[in-house]
Amino acid sequence: MTARFTLYSRSWCHLCEDMLAALQRLAPPGQPFAVDVVDVDADPALVARFDELVPVLYGRLDEPELCHYFLDEAAVRSYLERSPRADQAAPV
């Protein structure tokens, strides 16, 4: 299983672009991860929830955010360490 992130963002936000670029640089060699970029401006409920907080980065959506405004490398690395990788066999 590939690690997955969700980045709540908006198109004109330079902090959002910076966070996405910094996140992509953290991908371990040979272990890519997926990033779903969600434009908060496309949904009024997301604007109400995140508006001035963007960018907001989540690993699992059922867990607290990893960071907002700026990438927290330690939080992302911790998330990656506890996320199952495709090359790890599932216990039988």
Side-chain angles (χ1 to χ4, degrees), residues 2-10 16 19-20 23-24 33-40 46 55-61 79:
T2 301
R4 178 170 232 87
F5 294 92
T6 301
L7 178 62
Y8 290 96
S9 178
R10 53 177 35 115
C16 301
M19 184 178 286
L20 180 58
L23 176 62
Q24 290 171 332
F33 48 71
V35 181
D36 297 318
V37 179
V38 179
D39 183 354
V40 298
L46 292 177
V56 181
L57 182 66
Y58 282 84
R60 292 178 43 114
L61 293 176
Y79 174 74

